[in-house]
Each structure stands twice: as C-alpha cells, then as structure tokens.
Amino acid sequence: MALSRTAARTIWRRAFSPVRPVRALEAEPWIIDELTVGSREIAVRGWALPPIRPAPGAAFLVNDNRPASIEYPLPRPDVGHAFWRRDRSGDSGFRLVARPVGEPYPGGILRVSRPRASPASPEAGRDHWCYPDPARHADLPDENRRFRVIGNRDATGFLSTGCTDHFRLDRACRALFGHGLAQGGRVLDWGVGCGRIARHLLAADPDADLVGCDIDRDNVEWCAGHLPGGRFVPSDLRPPLPFPDGHFQVVYGGRFTHLRAPLEALWLEELRRVLSPGGIALVTVHGATALEFMALAPDQWLTMRDRIDDEGLVESSPNSQLVGFVPNPEEYVNVFHSRRHITRSWRRHFDIVRILPGYVFTHDLVVVRRR
Ligand SMILES: C[S@@+](CC[C@H](N)C(=O)[O-])C[C@H]1O[C@@H](n2cnc3c(N)ncnc32)[C@H](O)[C@@H]1O
C-alpha cells in the first residue's frame, strides 16, 4: 500500500528528529511573574530560558543597574513541565532584589532587562520588560474591555504587556529602518482594542499621527473618549478599511493570529493598499514559540508541529473573547503559521523584511514592506 506524502514525511520526521531537549531556540522566552515596587526595594520573580552562561547573575539589570541580589537558577518544576523540550528548563527560575538609586520609574517606566543580543539588533527588544508608572495610567478601561483584548482581567499585566509590546515594536523599527514606530509618518494601529499598546505610543510620542481602528465599537469609543492625541474609528471584519490608498507609512497589529486563510489573503492585500510604497507593517502570528507555550505533551506537540509544517496555516481552536461585541464572532479563531507559509504566501503581497520569533510575548513578529 502506498503511503501518502504527508504520512511518509511524518514517519521520516519522527524517526530522524526525535523529541529531545534542545539547548537554545532562537526565541528563548523569559517571563516576569511578579514585580513588587517599594521606594527602597524592587523585587522581581520570574523565569528565563535557557540558563544564562557563562556568568549567570551578571546578565540581569533593573533600570540598567545590576540588582543588589540575584538568585539564579532556581527550581521551576512548572516551567520544566511545560517546556519539556528545553534543556534544564526546570532550573530557570530567578529572583532579583534591586535598591533604586533615584525614582523606581525613571522617565515613567521601570525596565527589567536580560541583555543577550547586541543592543543595536532588532532581537535586542526581546531582552527587556517594561513597567509603566501606574500613577500615570490611572484612567484604565474596565476589566471586561481589557478581557476582550488579552483574555484576562489583570490590570498590571495590561499595562506592562502594552508598554513592553510598544517598546519592542519601537526597537525593531529603529533597528530595521532607523526610525521609531511613530516617526516614519502616519501610523495605523489595526485592531487597536482598548488601546493597550496605543496608550504607550501616545505617551512616548505625543505628536504621533496615530489612527486606531477595530471591529469592537465599544472599545473604539472608549479609546476616542480616553486617549487624547489619537484618532479612533470603527472598521469591519472584512476589508475595506475606511482609509484611502497609500494613507499610512506604518501599520502595526496582531490580527493574523486570528484569521483563516481566505480572510488572511484579503487582509494582506488591504494592508498593502492602505500603505504607501515603501511603507511597513509589523504584525504578529502564532509560530513555534506560541506552540511551546501551549505546554502540550510530546505526542500532541509533534502532531501539531507536523500539521503546521504541512498545512502552513492551521486553525487550532475557536476564540470566544469577542462574543456579544462583534457581528460574526465565529470568524475570530486561533491560528498557527509555519515560517514557510509566511515566506511563500505573504511574499505575493509584500517583501518579507524579518521574522522575529517570540518577540511579542508568545507571538512571532513579522515585519514586511510594501514594494
Ligand atoms: C488580541 S486583541 C489585541 C488588541 C490590541 N491591539 C492589543 O494589543 O491589546 C485583537 C483585536 O483585534 C480586533 N479585530 C479582530 N478582527 C479584526 C478586524 N478584521 N479588523 C480590525 N480589528 C479586528 C479585535 O476586536 C481585538 O480588539
């Protein structure tokens, strides 16, 4: 009996690329679980993969200074369980204590860093987590609005992930194009939600020419009433966007984590239309890092990885976060991308400038440019 091409490939992969611990993947996620800020002490707890060598402690910084104490590596059986593919992932915990020299939020942002990449490289953005001063962000959307964009109700996480995502996008833009996210011209936050990232862009660049759009009209109205300096407009699940051709020089957003193939192709073409020639888009997808964060058992992980490799774009699960707030919420699903799918099928619409795994939390960042 002849084997199908996919079945043959799966057997070959399982025979010759066994599931074994790997020392370092490009994404190397590291996460902060807890930050406590006092006037005399900043305490940080988290985990970092893979173990830092050769001098573990030297690599952590708080506000660019070496903390007073660094405990690393510490046991983290939960991380070891989830990241079973990673060598010594069960010993990835860290605890830092820093004594702030000046204010804990210099310039409004506290930064915890684990410098790994060369500071001028796009990858270096991944080496920092940013915590904005909560006193400067008292006017937050309520927890239901926040839930619809990040799937949880944690206010600190809403602020720190938004600030960190903005910092990393800005860093990638500077490293690849020589200007910040808001300095290349008119910017579109496509799928702005309740402004989790936009609020930090406007805080960093009050003169930014920023437009945000979303299918969630309630969140768009919230942004319009609470984020001065930006312009916020409702848009539809399907193209077109309510903007003329070539209107933007920069687009950022993460919708490709939630679109099936037919909608993906329509939106790639629409983003191309609203960008001016040479304009850039920074968008996110679920790639290898997101698959690791699913903490699947080895067999399930292999099956899913093979499916993604074979199919290119795989719908993994429904997503109910927008039920009750948008028409056709069933169109909003979770999808995974293979790198090859992006380099092959997105190339029809754009030049692919860079794919940065695990750059925006668990998402990969895809940077493309209009020809
Ligand atoms: C994961 S949330 C992210 C929101 C925001 N960018 C952030 O980072 O917090 C995805 C957002 O995309 C919006 N969205 C989904 N499909 C969209 C579409 N076709 N056009 C515009 N926005 C869309 C959703 O309503 C939701 O606010």
Side-chain angles (χ1 to χ4, degrees):
M1 188 183 69
L3 283 175
S4 75
R5 213 165 134 244
T6 301
R9 204 183 310 157
T10 302
I11 290 169
W12 188 91
R13 278 202 199 112
R14 289 182 184 204
F16 295 106
S17 54
V19 178
R20 59 173 187 271
V22 285
R23 250 213 145 74
L25 295 184
E26 206 189 331
E28 302 179 0
W30 71 297
I31 298 289
I32 293 175
D33 294 318
E34 198 180 332
L35 174 92
T36 318
V37 182
S39 55
R40 312 175 110 201
E41 187 175 291
I42 298 169
V44 192
R45 193 175 61 78
W47 55 269
L49 294 178
I52 294 162
R53 275 174 303 254
F60 289 100
L61 300 173
V62 175
N63 288 336
D64 293 331
N65 294 312
R66 198 184 147 82
S69 86
I70 298 173
E71 293 172 81
Y72 182 82
L74 298 172
R76 279 299 296 254
D78 56 329
V79 180
H81 179 74
F83 286 81
W84 49 267
R85 291 184 67 226
R86 304 298 191 101
D87 188 25
R88 289 153 65 194
S89 53
D91 291 316
S92 57
F94 66 81
R95 218 168 13 229
L96 320 174
V97 175
R99 316 242 180 264
V101 188
E103 57 164 328
Y105 298 95
I109 296 176
L110 185 160
R111 218 164 68 197
V112 183
S113 314
R114 184 199 62 154
R116 301 265 301 159
S118 136
S121 72
E123 286 79 7
R126 206 161 42 203
D127 292 344
H128 306 272
W129 281 94
C130 304
Y131 288 80
D133 183 351
R136 298 193 189 194
H137 293 272
D139 185 16
L140 285 187
D142 64 62
E143 57 176 36
N144 291 331
R145 292 191 168 99
R146 299 199 304 264
F147 181 81
R148 300 207 294 279
V149 303
I150 46 171
N152 67 58
R153 296 183 159 79
D154 169 30
T156 308
F158 178 83
L159 276 180
S160 64
T161 58
C163 189
T164 301
D165 290 359
H166 167 256
F167 176 90
R168 294 182 181 189
L169 291 173
D170 189 70
R171 272 288 170 104
C173 208
R174 283 176 199 279
L176 292 167
F177 306 106
H179 62 75
L181 196 58
Q183 278 119 40
R186 195 176 287 130
V187 187
L188 173 66
D189 183 329
W190 177 49
V192 65
C194 49
R196 189 180 62 95
I197 297 175
R199 68 165 48 239
H200 301 288
L201 185 146
L202 291 167
D205 271 291
D207 296 330
D209 192 351
L210 173 73
V211 181
C213 71
D214 203 290
I215 55 175
D216 182 338
R217 285 166 190 252
D218 173 73
N219 265 342
V220 169
E221 275 168 32
W222 190 90
C223 290
H226 297 262
L227 298 179
R231 192 160 69 83
F232 300 95
V233 295
S235 57
D236 293 323
L237 183 72
R238 288 171 176 277
L241 288 168
F243 311 112
D245 295 0
H247 194 58
F248 295 99
Q249 285 68 54
V250 178
V251 174
Y252 70 88
R255 306 300 64 71
F256 290 102
T257 44
H258 299 297
L259 300 177
R260 296 188 180 99
L263 259 188
E264 170 176 288
L266 288 178
W267 275 113
L268 284 168
E269 199 42 37
E270 179 62 358
L271 294 189
R272 200 193 68 78
R273 181 188 72 77
V274 297
L275 277 169
S276 56
I280 56 175
L282 302 100
V283 298
T284 64
V285 297
H286 291 135
T289 307
L291 185 58
E292 284 211 282
F293 268 92
M294 284 178 81
L296 298 174
D299 232 43
Q300 294 170 307
W301 176 83
L302 265 178
T303 304
M304 189 67 178
R305 187 202 63 176
D306 288 353
R307 237 190 106 191
I308 297 166
D309 278 355
D310 287 338
E311 296 172 30
L313 190 152
V314 168
E315 181 179 335
S316 62
S317 54
N319 185 312
S320 56
Q321 277 167 230
L322 295 178
V323 171
F325 286 89
V326 297
N328 311 107
E330 70 284 354
E331 293 270 11
Y332 197 69
V333 294
N334 297 320
V335 299
F336 279 81
H337 286 79
S338 74
R339 203 179 171 102
R340 200 174 38 185
H341 173 80
I342 292 163
T343 53
R344 285 196 183 163
S345 90
W346 290 30
R347 184 168 287 154
R348 285 184 218 125
H349 311 269
F350 288 105
D351 286 335
I352 313 296
V353 178
R354 196 70 148 244
I355 302 176
L356 294 165
Y359 193 81
V360 178
F361 191 31
T362 66
H363 296 182
D364 297 358
L365 180 69
V366 184
V367 185
V368 297
R369 181 166 35 203
R370 185 182 162 173
R371 292 175 196 110

